[in-house]
Amino acid sequence: MKQIDARGLECPKPVILTKKALEETNSISILVDNEVARDNVRRFGENGGFDVTILENSKGIELFLKKIKGLEKTTNNSPVVVLIKKDVFGDGERALGELLMKNFLTSLLESDDKIGSLIFMNKGVVLTTTSEDAIPILKDLEAQGTRIFSCGTCLDFYELKDQLKIGEITNMYSATELLLKKNIRTIII
């Protein structure tokens, strides 16, 4: 049984490590050090068709995941287009929103579903221009085949056009065509 030590890792890294390990084997043990990581790994395992056993010991919280025969996870083959309207995720404190956006982009990077395009509008264009946290993740997504678009009007408005570091410039008409295309799924953030 493969063993993973995810103690001290921030969200969503324990789940990502779990996902990667389960791509190689049908049973693992993962060690975490907090209830949030425990619950996230447990949900991921149960949603993916794994039997999950949790033990608390002197090392921390240990989860054992074992594939349940006949319960295979299916993925939707339709590509996903994500419209990102802000440089933060949600409406709370800015520091939390920045962290959540970084975690969201990292989770897209690890998704089993094909992320076809990311469209950045309004303040979202900050993520393709000046965000030190987002740009490396976006480069990895682009390397996986995700197309990245930033609104030209938005770049002009925020005076960021000359700072574009990833992807290409688009316009509202082209972005709307992508969002309305047949056989895609759209997520708006």
Side-chain angles (χ1 to χ4, degrees):
M1 175 180 290
K2 185 169 186 156
Q3 296 182 324
I4 299 165
D5 187 349
R7 292 177 291 186
L9 300 179
E10 64 184 40
C11 173
K13 290 183 180 160
V15 171
I16 291 170
L17 289 174
T18 300
K19 176 186 177 291
K20 287 183 177 191
L22 291 172
E23 290 171 353
E24 300 171 7
T25 185
N26 285 331
S27 63
I28 65 164
S29 159
I30 182 162
L31 192 60
V32 297
D33 59 3
N34 64 75
E35 293 175 359
V36 172
R38 175 199 66 200
D39 294 343
N40 289 340
V41 170
R42 177 189 52 78
R43 270 191 303 276
F44 175 81
E46 290 172 350
N47 291 339
F50 290 84
D51 180 48
V52 181
T53 304
I54 302 171
L55 297 175
E56 292 192 35
N57 55 41
S58 61
K59 297 184 220 173
I61 305 167
E62 194 163 10
L63 294 95
F64 299 90
L65 287 79
K66 185 175 181 181
K67 188 71 174 167
I68 300 171
K69 299 262 189 239
L71 287 181
E72 301 300 324
K73 182 180 178 194
T74 59
T75 59
N76 188 328
N77 290 329
S78 300
V80 178
V81 174
V82 182
L83 173 62
I84 298 177
K85 307 182 298 181
K86 299 191 295 187
D87 60 336
V88 295
F89 195 104
D91 295 318
E93 296 292 325
R94 179 157 189 84
L96 176 60
E98 289 171 349
L99 177 62
L100 292 175
M101 182 59 78
K102 178 182 173 186
N103 290 347
F104 174 72
L105 294 172
T106 299
S107 296
L108 287 179
L109 184 61
E110 299 298 330
S111 175
D112 289 334
D113 293 319
K114 169 137 177 59
I115 309 302
S117 300
L118 296 175
I119 303 170
F120 294 88
M121 292 277 177
N122 209 319
K123 195 74 172 183
V125 298
V126 167
L127 298 170
T128 60
T129 57
T130 60
S131 173
E132 292 178 20
D133 287 336
I135 291 168
I137 302 166
L138 294 174
K139 286 183 178 181
D140 289 342
L141 279 160
E142 189 175 56
Q144 288 183 352
T146 300
R147 295 196 61 198
I148 296 173
F149 299 98
S150 292
C151 166
T153 301
C154 305
L155 290 166
D156 284 339
F157 183 85
Y158 291 112
E159 299 178 357
L160 293 170
K161 192 175 266 184
D162 62 336
Q163 297 181 56
L164 186 66
K165 294 193 175 56
I166 183 85
E168 53 195 286
I169 297 173
T170 193
N171 57 65
M172 186 60 78
Y173 181 82
S174 297
T176 302
E177 279 192 324
L178 272 174
L179 292 166
L180 298 176
K181 204 173 197 179
K182 286 185 179 181
N183 301 321
I184 64 139
R185 294 176 290 146
T186 303
I187 299 171
I188 300 174
I189 303 297

